[in-house]
Amino acid sequence: MSKARVGILISGTGSNMEALIRAAEPDDCPYEVAVVISNRPGAAGLDRAKALGVTALAVDHAPFGKDREAHEHALDAALRRFGCSYVALAGYMRIMTPFLVGAWQGRMLNIHPSLLPKYPGLDTHRRAIEAGDAEAGCSVHLVTAGVDEGPVLAQARVRILPRESHQTLAERVLAAEHALYPEALADLVSGRSTPPSSS
Ligand code: GRF
């Protein structure tokens, strides 16, 4: 079976990245992780990827200053050098320009810690608790020009417990993310999910 080659972009810890790498180990997984790239050279996820036997490198945004697109050209070149046909964002904390979004349209996905379209942006768990929501969760979506706005491919729901803190809710949602993301990625690369934008 020929596997889809996936590049993972990170900025930090990389726990979702690790879940994606571990889920790719079985022979019947339809994707393989070709490379992990961080925009921050010190990201803990880089060492974590290397420890799991995956090539990991930094394409630091700092030397590019305000020229976001130039940084994205360097990222894009690295992804193509490793033969990637899909990109998974896993805690990648840079807003993208239309260049990178357009270059990977329909083939770049992200995981977000809320039940989109609720709570795009940051601080999702605190906002869900303060709103008195009965449930929180996470969403895997295709990346489009608007932040956290692309078509949703999959969601997992997590019940909010009475008097729960946003920290424990975050931990429980993160565990749900680790199960959801590999499944959603596998479904996309194998054509099992047909996102609205590509239909
Ligand atoms: C996760 O909460 C994910 O939903 C969000 O960024 C966080 C990344 O965490 N996009 P990790 O680096 O995967 O541990």
Side-chain angles (χ1 to χ4, degrees):
M1 180 180 70
S2 106
K3 294 179 179 238
R5 289 174 69 77
V6 175
I8 303 179
L9 300 188
I10 62 166
S11 298
T13 320
S15 73
N16 277 288
M17 171 210 77
E18 178 164 346
L20 292 172
I21 292 171
R22 289 193 184 279
E25 281 164 11
D27 286 344
D28 62 353
C29 180
Y31 72 85
E32 62 189 332
V33 178
V35 65
V36 169
I37 305 176
S38 171
N39 67 303
R40 291 194 183 132
L46 289 175
D47 287 337
R48 207 164 173 170
K50 287 177 197 160
L52 291 163
V54 175
T55 304
L57 52 99
V59 177
D60 189 356
H61 64 272
F64 296 92
K66 289 197 169 120
D67 193 347
R68 286 180 182 272
E69 203 172 306
H71 174 245
E72 290 181 356
H73 276 280
L75 274 182
D76 184 65
L79 289 164
R80 292 181 197 281
R81 194 162 70 243
F82 283 89
C84 299
S85 48
Y86 289 87
V87 180
L89 307 184
Y92 183 69
M93 300 302 285
R94 298 277 293 172
I95 292 175
M96 290 184 179
T97 77
F99 162 69
L100 202 63
V101 174
W104 293 90
Q105 193 178 5
R107 294 179 299 132
M108 182 188 281
L109 61 178
N110 181 40
I111 187 148
H112 182 74
S114 79
L115 294 172
L116 292 172
K118 275 191 160 183
Y119 314 126
L122 300 175
D123 221 3
T124 54
H125 307 301
R126 193 185 49 75
R127 287 153 72 199
I129 289 171
E130 282 179 7
D133 292 357
E135 57 181 14
C138 49
S139 307
V140 175
H141 65 94
L142 288 174
V143 176
T144 56
V147 175
D148 303 325
E149 276 180 9
V152 171
L153 301 177
Q155 290 186 315
R157 293 171 185 277
V158 173
R159 203 161 67 81
I160 300 178
L161 304 174
R163 293 174 299 283
E164 176 150 35
S165 71
H166 63 88
Q167 290 92 343
T168 64
L169 180 59
E171 282 168 20
R172 295 194 305 116
V173 171
L174 192 60
E177 292 180 36
H178 298 160
L180 183 72
Y181 207 1
E183 252 183 56
L185 176 58
D187 283 351
L188 180 69
V189 307
S190 60
R192 287 194 293 264
S193 65
T194 313
S197 67
S198 67
S199 57

